[in-house]
Amino acid sequence: MSTAIERVLSFIEEKEIDGVFFRKRSNFSWITEGKVNHIVNTTENGVADLLITADKKYCITSKMESARIHDEELAGLGYEFITPEWYEDQDAVVRELCAGKKVASDVPFGDFLDFGAQLTSLRYSLNEAEISRYRWLSLKAAKAVEATCREIEPGWTEYEIAAHLGSKVVKDGITPQVILVSTDERVFKYRHPIPTDKKLKNYAMIVICAEKNGLVANVTRFVHFGELPRELRENKQKLVQIDLAMNTATRPGAAIKDILQYGFDTYRKVGHGDDWRLLHQGGPTGYASREFLATPEVEGTVQVNQAFAWNPAIKGIKSEDTILVREHENEFLTFTGEWVYMEVEHAGKKYLRPDILVR
């Protein structure tokens, strides 16, 4: 299975160009097998750029950043460092380095060729080293969410719940790209709820998109204090049908828009034909919480060793796990075996899918 560098070199040869310029944090992590180049967590771009040519690898970053990047991120990887002062124009240095060359870029940059989407697609199929890192991350993320569901108490604010969850992953060097928490009526009203100071009474949805080494694991779980109301008992049984329809249809060679349509059909079958309009349904994941969103007109097919995170939802309940599409069957990376599950039969096979934890 090819490495990221091998894929980039093949791309250079195929496109008949001189090199590829990378500035995005996600691509830096992909190219360097999980290293990082950022300071500010909320930026898409990092502080160290990479230029890959047919015979050389460059890292362009300021002297201020170069020592750490050299020692802790790129040591032994064969990069030649070009280090302007922090007060000098790094873009000008890049332009000078690439003068007269035909260069593709993952971000808009001067007259570089805009191959951002094509470059991103090179990372969709994960190699075994990436898969190993992803399994570790996915279990850490899922166990953190599930432990949080078991430990919180009525009276906690959504902010406190989010902080409790965040502390569980940050201690392992994991960055929570997204933490969503909603409680009680907010679970029913909003599909994308950021935490507030509202206090938990009976019901909570807890979500994380957790990143380490560039990879992102996505997971949602629910906890309810006291007996489930009838609406939730019914809706969780409906939702699991949509969940399994989409997750089991995500197989190598399948058109992504067809999987989405299969989900729409199942929404309609269970009596919630328009609920998909209230929240995006997810799509491929990996080096972003979603590499792109699946839409009815989206292009692309499922690849072997590609990760997906579908998130169908109906009133009061949502499903979200990170799966890996293997050659013979899909692997639910965020399955811990430590949660409460519904055993559901779909297309002649039994599956364990996450239930609502009742406390």
Side-chain angles (χ1 to χ4, degrees), residues 150-161:
R150 289 190 290 264
E151 293 165 2
I152 61 175
E153 297 291 344
W156 287 32
T157 68
E158 293 169 355
Y159 287 144
E160 290 172 325
I161 295 170

Side-chain angles (χ1 to χ4, degrees), residues 227-238 356:
E227 184 180 351
L228 286 182
R230 178 179 175 181
E231 182 179 28
L232 282 178
R233 292 199 307 269
E234 293 178 350
N235 283 357
K236 71 174 186 175
Q237 295 294 342
K238 295 175 182 178
I356 300 169

Side-chain angles (χ1 to χ4, degrees), residues 28 36 67-68 76 86 129 131 133 139 143 155 163 169 172 209 213 222-223 275 289 299 303:
F28 185 97
V36 297
R68 195 201 68 80
W86 63 262
I131 290 168
R133 294 196 295 269
L139 284 178
K143 287 184 177 185
V169 295
D172 286 315
C209 300
N213 304 122
F222 291 81
V223 58
D275 277 40
S289 61
E299 297 298 325
Q303 300 180 30

Side-chain angles (χ1 to χ4, degrees), residues 328-349:
H328 298 295
E329 63 179 351
N330 293 344
E331 179 180 347
F332 286 81
L333 297 178
T334 43
F335 176 83
T336 66
E338 300 170 359
W339 190 241
V340 289
Y341 299 97
M342 295 180 280
E343 185 176 72
V344 185
E345 186 170 321
H346 178 83
K349 184 175 179 180

Side-chain angles (χ1 to χ4, degrees), residues 4 79-80 157 182 184 226 244 259 261 271 277 281 304 349:
Y79 283 85
E80 178 180 327
T157 68
S182 60
D184 307 301
L244 284 172
I259 301 167
Q261 185 59 54
R277 299 180 186 276
Q281 300 299 292
V304 175
K349 184 175 179 180

Side-chain angles (χ1 to χ4, degrees), residues 29-58:
S29 292
W30 170 59
I31 288 290
T32 61
E33 301 180 359
K35 304 303 183 180
V36 297
N37 71 335
H38 67 274
I39 300 298
V40 180
N41 275 329
T42 54
T43 58
E44 184 178 21
N45 299 332
V47 297
D49 301 325
L50 300 179
L51 175 67
I52 312 297
T53 69
D55 57 0
K56 296 200 77 171
K57 298 186 293 186
Y58 298 93

Side-chain angles (χ1 to χ4, degrees), residues 4 7-8 11 15 20-28 30-31 44-45 104-108 113-126 130 214-215 284-293 303 305-307:
R7 294 181 196 182
V8 172
F11 184 86
K15 299 296 183 182
V20 179
F21 175 72
F22 292 103
R23 176 162 282 178
K24 287 185 177 180
R25 290 169 50 180
S26 55
N27 282 330
F28 185 97
W30 170 59
I31 288 290
E44 184 178 21
N45 299 332
S105 175
D106 68 344
V107 296
L113 301 170
D114 184 3
F115 279 129
Q118 291 182 55
L119 289 169
T120 300
S121 71
L122 298 179
R123 69 193 194 197
Y124 290 167
S125 180
L126 305 175
E130 291 170 305
L215 294 164
T285 185
Y287 283 93
S289 61
R290 300 298 185 274
E291 293 284 12
F292 58 85
L293 294 181
Q303 300 180 30
N305 294 331
Q306 187 173 13

